[in-house]
Amino acid sequence: MPSPTVQSPWQTAALLIARLIFAAVFLMAVTFKFMGMGATAGYIAAAGFPFPLFLAWCAAILEVLLVIAFLTGAFFTPAALVAAVYVLFLGFAFHGPSHWAGNQAEFGFFVDHFSFLAGLLFAAVHGPGRVLSLNPGWSGRA
């Protein structure tokens, strides 16, 4: 088995900053949900999904768990993969091609989801780093 590579200070800093950014994005999202769960449910209902309040709460719970995973590094790779699928779903469901004719800005929102998706996939491959990481979960790497 190859020996683990040494992480340079800039790599450590970059990983920690990336984890903080991921956590901050999901923390902002869940904060807005908790501040207006009814409005979130209305947005979900407007997209045509059934049980909008239930789905709003499910999304909030998922986002809280993602914040915890990104801040602690626990179960980081599976969390990053789940977040990637979630972000892809959100992009298509709420900003996808059916929304572009009504508002051209929706295309920009849609594309932004793919930038975030790319970062999450990259994070899933490289893991949380060795500093400030509980990382008891599946590493995703051999």
Side-chain angles (χ1 to χ4, degrees), residues 8 12 14 29 34-36 43 50 79 83 85 95 110 130 134 139:
S8 71
T12 298
F34 286 138
M35 289 173 42
Y43 193 63
V85 170
H95 307 289
F110 179 74
R130 293 183 180 89
L134 297 177
S139 70

Side-chain angles (χ1 to χ4, degrees), residues 74-139:
F75 304 101
F76 184 85
T77 295
L81 291 172
V82 167
V85 170
Y86 181 60
V87 166
L88 185 63
F89 164 76
L90 294 176
F92 277 100
F94 296 100
H95 307 289
S98 65
H99 300 271
W100 300 346
N103 182 356
Q104 289 182 335
E106 290 293 339
F107 177 74
F109 299 142
F110 179 74
V111 171
D112 286 346
H113 281 72
F114 283 88
S115 299
F116 194 34
L117 171 66
L120 288 164
L121 292 174
F122 197 83
V125 169
H126 292 282
R130 293 183 180 89
V131 176
L132 297 176
S133 178
L134 297 177
N135 200 21
W138 170 63
S139 70

Side-chain angles (χ1 to χ4, degrees), residues 22-23 26 61-71 78-80 82-83 86:
F22 290 142
F26 286 108
I61 292 166
L62 173 63
E63 290 169 359
V64 166
L65 294 173
L66 291 173
V67 168
I68 293 167
F70 290 133
L71 289 177
V82 167
Y86 181 60

